[in-house]
Amino acid sequence: MTQTLKTIEIFHHTLNVGNRDWTLWASKKGLIRISYQEDQGVLPASWLKTYAPSHQFSEDAGIFDQFGATKLLESYFNGEPISFNSIPLDLWGTPFQQEVWMGLAGIPHGAIVTYKELAVSIGRPQAVRAVGAANGQNPLPVVLPCHRVIGTNGTLTGYRGGLKLKQELLKLEGITNVGAAGHERFAF
């Protein structure tokens, strides 16, 4: 007997905040991903194949307004210290990745932690490299603030959106004392 795949409706909308485009993606349950301009407003094919092999896209700004994401992102990029914890999330990743990503949600606005400190905070003190790798796969930058995680040497170390963007986000939160001595190839 052939099993039919359930088609998942994926909503999207592009906002221009912080002088760049951010494409928001959601299911009916919550926010699933935020794409940078560098992602060219598309979802990674391998990610879709794994988590939504049968899907359809719908442009819909309303669902993001309903979730509160639009207003919170606009406030954040206007320099307001806000929390994104009220936005419903529908995280697609391994259980370990989801554990790391939810650990990111606990880093307050204007604070930074090291990868080691993040690993300890989620009860995985020996998994620093795995935590870094999961951090690099974070589907919800800004909302789950992976930009607030730095190397133990006090440098940025890397960011999927580029070190310049990581510095801009930290500066927006009043953090200006972190050096950019990291290397772009480290996508933690």
Side-chain angles (χ1 to χ4, degrees), residues 115 149-153 155-159 163 166 179-188:
Y115 292 100
V149 184
I150 63 169
T152 54
N153 64 358
T155 61
L156 299 181
T157 69
Y159 193 62
L163 292 180
K166 188 170 185 170
H183 192 284
E184 293 284 343
R185 74 178 175 86
F186 296 113
F188 295 138

Side-chain angles (χ1 to χ4, degrees), residues 6-86:
K6 180 181 174 191
T7 299
I8 297 174
E9 188 168 15
I10 299 174
F11 304 96
H12 64 93
H13 179 66
T14 300
L15 291 176
N16 186 282
V17 288
N19 296 318
R20 65 179 32 90
D21 288 337
W22 300 83
T23 303
L24 310 180
W25 304 89
S27 70
K28 290 179 182 178
K29 295 178 188 176
L31 207 57
I32 59 172
R33 197 166 183 102
I34 297 177
S35 297
Y36 303 97
Q37 278 179 281
E38 294 80 4
D39 296 328
Q40 300 172 346
V42 297
L43 293 177
S46 61
W47 190 72
L48 279 172
K49 183 178 179 184
T50 301
Y51 297 106
S54 180
H55 60 274
Q56 74 177 39
F57 294 122
S58 299
E59 164 67 30
D60 183 358
I63 194 164
F64 302 102
D65 291 339
Q66 178 186 340
F67 290 159
T70 304
K71 183 174 175 31
L72 287 173
L73 283 165
E74 288 170 346
S75 296
Y76 175 82
F77 282 102
N78 282 330
E80 298 174 34
I82 56 98
S83 167
F84 292 101
N85 291 340
S86 62

